[in-house]
């Protein structure tokens, strides 16, 4: 058995990133939807824990679930956004969303 070089976490993450960036637009959309849908059940479970009287556990679980969901979802969206914008319907929705977001933030910007 030949000696293999140790697996480096940075190398594995770089390979994962390259494989995600190599997906097509609909594959990227499916990956994003799956990751978002996997982040929802822990939030429901946290509410169940809180409802059973385990307030601290439920609170910690829901905070952790939201943090993980936001971190993973945001990083993944940044990776697949260029592919998603090649879909005409997604690009139209994105332009509309950005315009609404910009308008909603205008009162809070300094001149």
């Amino acid at each position: 058995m030949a000696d293999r070089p140790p697996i480096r976490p940075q190398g594995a993450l770089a390979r994962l990133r390259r494989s995600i960036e190599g997906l097509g637009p609909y594959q990227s959309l499916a990956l994003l939807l799956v990751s978002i849908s996997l982040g929802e059940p822990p939030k429901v479970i946290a509410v169940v824990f809180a409802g059973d009287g385990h307030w601290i556990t439920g609170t910690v679980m829901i905070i952790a679930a939201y943090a993980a969901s936001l971190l993973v979802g945001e990083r993944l969206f940044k990776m697949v956004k260029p592919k998603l914008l090649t879909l005409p319907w997604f690009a139209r929705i994105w332009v509309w969303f950005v315009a609404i977001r910009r308008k909603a933030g205008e009162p809070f910007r300094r001149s």
Side-chain angles (χ1 to χ4, degrees):
M1 187 150 122
D3 287 284
R4 295 183 190 179
I7 296 175
R8 300 190 199 301
Q10 296 85 6
L13 289 175
R15 280 193 304 275
L16 178 63
R17 183 181 183 100
R18 282 192 303 271
S19 65
I20 289 172
E21 289 173 345
L23 295 174
Y26 284 105
Q27 293 168 327
S28 298
L29 181 63
L31 179 64
L32 189 62
L33 293 176
V34 166
S35 72
I36 290 170
S37 66
L38 289 176
E40 293 307 311
K43 297 171 190 170
V44 174
I45 294 169
V47 171
V48 170
F49 269 87
D52 284 343
H54 302 283
W55 290 100
I56 295 173
T57 304
T59 302
V60 169
M61 281 179 65
I62 203 156
I63 290 170
Y66 270 103
S69 178
L70 284 172
L71 284 171
V72 171
E74 184 266 341
R75 295 289 290 171
L76 190 56
F77 182 72
K78 278 187 175 180
M79 281 190 268
V80 300
K81 182 180 165 189
K83 293 287 179 143
L84 294 176
L85 289 175
T86 63
L87 300 170
W89 61 268
F90 187 88
R92 283 192 306 271
I93 292 171
W94 183 252
V95 168
W96 173 81
F97 172 75
V98 169
I100 296 291
R101 184 178 62 181
R102 186 173 294 129
K103 252 186 192 186
E106 281 177 5
F108 304 104
R109 287 196 195 96
R110 294 184 182 175
S111 298

